[in-house]
């Protein structure tokens, strides 16, 4: 398979004074990774499953409570992150352990050590990748879902696929569809936050 390069021209950065603009060009190179090694996942503190549907290896991480009666929270990480991230955030795993919450956080196809699935869609992901993980972890009842940024469409897809099994849905910096955006008055399908150098970090 060939390498695909995307040239992101005509982008710019604005300095802290909102005056000088610096043009830049970004590149992404995408190439198939080598097959994943389960021992590397385990050495990183993760778990894995070999999917019966297509034989792909999928990485996921479990944080928090290890009790059999723990409440289940499925965390969908943001872009560029893997399931390991939420457990490394200060105090999160400890809080979950103290409050009997078990976090299951998967790495999407092509993220971390989860093997690539050419042509996969977010709408298919709950059935193809997540449901086998939940079965392996013995999750048969309802659960909570949270997602951050790129993870929010995955979390929304879970709510659609699993229906009433999803008892809580939390979205941080969410992506929302065009119809919902228009219904709530967001311009062009996204929020115009009008951040500037004085408001961005307040």
């Amino acid at each position: 398979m060939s390498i695909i390069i995307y040239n992101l021209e005509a982008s710019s950065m604005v300095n802290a004074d909102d005056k000088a603009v610096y043009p830049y060009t970004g590149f992404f190179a995408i190439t198939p990774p080598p097959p994943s090694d389960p021992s590397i996942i385990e050495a990183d503190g993760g778990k894995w499953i070999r999917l019966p549907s297509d034989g792909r290896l999928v990485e996921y991480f479990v944080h928090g409570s290890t009790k059999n009666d723990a409440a289940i929270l499925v965390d969908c990480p943001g872009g560029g992150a893997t399931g390991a991230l939420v457990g490394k955030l200060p105090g999160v795993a400890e809080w979950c352990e103290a409050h009997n919450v078990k976090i299951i956080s998967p790495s999407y196809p092509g993220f971390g050590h989860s093997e690539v699935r050419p042509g996969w869609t977010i709408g298919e992901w709950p059935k193809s990748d997540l449901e086998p993980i939940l079965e392996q972890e013995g999750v048969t009842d309802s659960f909570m879902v949270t997602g951050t940024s790129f993870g929010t469409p995955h979390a929304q897809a879970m709510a659609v696929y699993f229906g009433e099994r999803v008892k809580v849905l939390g979205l941080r910096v969410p992506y929302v569809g065009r119809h919902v955006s228009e219904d709530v008055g967001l311009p062009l399908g996204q929020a115009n936050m009008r951040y500037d150098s004085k408001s961005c970090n307040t």
Side-chain angles (χ1 to χ4, degrees), residues 7-117:
N7 188 351
L8 308 179
E9 309 229 29
S11 298
S12 63
M13 287 181 11
V14 180
N15 72 357
D17 296 325
D18 295 321
K19 293 179 181 177
V21 177
Y22 304 96
Y24 71 95
T25 302
F27 296 92
F28 293 116
I30 303 171
T31 187
S36 295
D37 182 348
S39 66
I40 296 175
I41 297 172
E42 293 169 0
D44 287 343
K47 302 176 88 171
W48 57 275
I49 184 171
R50 183 73 66 183
L51 298 180
S53 58
D54 58 12
R56 282 183 302 116
L57 189 74
V58 175
E59 167 190 79
Y60 67 99
F61 291 79
V62 176
H63 314 282
S65 177
T66 58
K67 296 179 181 178
N68 292 333
D69 65 344
I72 303 298
L73 171 63
V74 178
D75 179 74
C76 301
T82 70
L85 176 63
V86 68
K88 295 180 179 179
L89 297 174
V92 172
E94 294 80 5
W95 186 94
C96 287
E97 188 171 358
H99 292 84
N100 200 25
V101 176
K102 175 181 178 178
I103 303 176
I104 300 171
S105 189
S107 299
Y108 311 121
F111 286 64
H113 296 287
S114 287
E115 292 177 342
V116 172
R117 181 186 178 204

